[in-house]
Amino acid sequence: MTGAAFPDLGMDRPPAGARVVVAMSGGVDSSVTAALMKEAGYEVVGITLQLYDHGAAVARSGACCAGRDIYDARRVADALGIAHYVLDYESRFRAEVIDEFADSYLAGETPIPCVRCNQQIKFKDLLNTARELGAAALATGHYVRRISGPDGPELHRAADPTRDQSYFLFATTREQLAFLRFPLGGMPKQETRAIAERLGLCVSDKPDSQDICFVPSGRYADLVAKLRPGAAEPGEIVHVDGRVLGTHRGIIGYTVGQRRGLGLVDPARPGEPLYVVRLDAAARRVIVGPKHALAETRVRLREVNWLIDVPGPDGIEAEVKLRSMSAPAPAHIYPTERGAEVVLAVPQFGVAPGQACVFYEGDRVLGGGWIERAQAMAA
């Protein structure tokens, strides 16, 4: 790849000695990011965060930020001829991400730890470290685009919709966005792998990370039960009309919108599928009902991060994503004292507290917040 083909980073061509820190997780995306910055002429410093190290995670394919990944990041840095450092962030990661993940599940929510990791660890602590090292920017391997707009940098969806990670970066502040760069946002994944192969990087065929990195087994409830003894307390499974249909072994095993694994039949309507409609953590109850009971038209948000000027009391029209894989839905967003209220133009199903609601105008991310409570539409 020549310098002319290098993606637009919203930065001047580097003067001699200009430095960029690259967050290197040990995967192909961050490795290619480091290579692209090196080819562009920057002095690249790779930093890998040691976030956790469960024995099973070190060798598991598809993890990140564990033993094997640190080794891979170091090998890539050596091949590129760049400096590489490993920072021990295990205690911060435990406090800011893992503990909150466990507590959120205990509260009957469905958390997204990847957002908290970006918000609290990578784009806060690591970004500050990059500044302390005198870097001009922190570059990552996320698939999003940073576009210079009339009022400053804007966050946009990736050019490849199948790889877009903008939903997980809604909490990025405007100040952070000014310092961040995302070289992969304008290319498809196959091009990233092709660059890695051309450069002979050892991670060119490494599988992408899957699920939550610090849950090696993929069984979230098992981790929560281990971190919070007594979390898996039994309780009742109750129909939305008040009838007790059965018992469960802990609400941490359920999430709003879930259908599979309930093992229940409504004797009043044996042919009608049941879904988890709500989790009552205080009463240890799982509330179930038919699909239409999941319909929501109003959603309250907390901890809203705006990437535009905060709208006035009349709010704004936008599209919102209520889960990472859901289609955007038209809505009106009203700022509130505690966050925002989202009024959906069309009822949405499976709106889960603890998930994120991200606002879009076309490909541009306008902001987002954490789903606090959904209010069912009137009957």
Side-chain angles (χ1 to χ4, degrees), residues 44-341:
V44 178
V45 176
I47 293 183
T48 302
L49 304 180
Q50 169 76 42
L51 299 182
Y52 66 96
D53 201 355
H54 309 317
V58 173
R60 183 173 72 98
S61 175
C64 72
C65 304
R68 176 56 191 260
D69 305 289
I70 293 172
Y71 173 70
D72 287 343
R74 183 173 290 121
R75 290 174 65 197
V76 169
D78 288 344
L80 295 175
I82 63 173
H84 178 251
Y85 301 97
V86 178
L87 303 182
D88 183 356
Y89 276 28
E90 282 199 51
S91 60
R92 301 186 200 185
F93 188 71
R94 171 67 184 255
E96 300 284 353
V97 179
I98 297 179
D99 284 345
E100 182 176 300
F101 171 83
D103 291 338
S104 185
Y105 257 107
L106 283 179
E109 297 186 340
T110 306
I112 317 174
C114 294
V115 175
R116 286 298 190 197
C117 182
N118 289 323
Q119 180 183 25
Q120 300 293 346
I121 306 299
K122 294 177 181 175
F123 293 172
K124 182 180 177 183
D125 294 336
L126 180 55
L127 189 146
N128 289 337
T129 297
R131 283 198 172 107
E132 290 170 0
L133 290 173
L138 170 65
T140 78
H142 289 101
Y143 284 86
V144 292
R145 289 178 295 154
R146 176 192 181 280
I147 294 177
S148 297
D151 298 317
E154 302 172 354
L155 185 65
H156 288 244
R157 286 189 177 104
D160 181 351
T162 67
R163 302 300 304 180
D164 176 54
Q165 294 174 297
S166 60
Y167 177 87
F168 299 99
L169 298 184
F170 81 86
T172 306
T173 67
R174 296 167 89 173
E175 180 186 8
Q176 291 167 345
L177 191 59
F179 193 72
L180 289 163
R181 298 298 185 276
F182 309 106
L184 307 186
M187 64 179 69
K189 181 69 177 218
Q190 58 264 35
E191 184 176 345
T192 301
R193 289 204 181 274
I195 294 171
E197 290 172 5
R198 175 179 65 80
L199 296 174
L201 300 182
C202 61
V203 295
S204 61
D205 60 353
K206 187 174 181 177
D208 293 336
S209 58
Q210 301 292 330
D211 297 320
I212 297 175
C213 64
F214 57 86
V215 189
S217 67
R219 295 188 295 270
Y220 310 149
D222 290 353
L223 176 67
V224 176
K226 180 180 178 181
L227 294 174
R228 300 291 185 269
E233 294 183 358
E236 295 176 330
I237 301 179
V238 184
H239 195 276
V240 290
D241 63 13
R243 290 176 295 130
V244 177
L245 300 182
T247 60
H248 63 80
R249 290 182 288 181
I251 65 167
I252 59 175
Y254 299 85
T255 185
V256 172
Q258 177 181 335
R259 176 184 173 186
R260 296 180 182 274
L262 296 182
L264 289 174
V265 174
D266 182 353
R269 300 178 182 83
E272 185 175 66
L274 292 172
Y275 297 80
V276 176
V277 175
R278 190 169 67 256
L279 298 173
D280 185 343
R284 300 200 305 275
R285 283 186 162 190
V286 176
I287 294 88
V288 300
K291 185 175 181 179
H292 68 77
L294 285 167
E296 308 284 2
T297 56
R298 288 178 178 267
V299 182
R300 291 184 180 175
L301 308 180
R302 65 175 186 263
E303 297 180 55
V304 171
N305 176 58
W306 290 99
L307 287 170
I308 59 173
D309 292 339
V310 179
D314 291 337
I316 58 168
E317 298 281 347
E319 290 188 311
V320 299
K321 288 189 68 171
L322 297 161
R323 285 183 183 264
S324 62
M325 300 302 293
S326 68
H332 199 105
I333 305 159
Y334 297 93
T336 65
E337 222 174 280
R338 296 191 66 246
E341 182 168 14

Side-chain angles (χ1 to χ4, degrees), residues 32-51:
V32 168
T33 296
L36 290 174
M37 301 307 285
K38 174 79 182 295
E39 285 194 343
Y42 293 96
E43 177 199 347
V44 178
V45 176
I47 293 183
T48 302
L49 304 180
Q50 169 76 42
L51 299 182

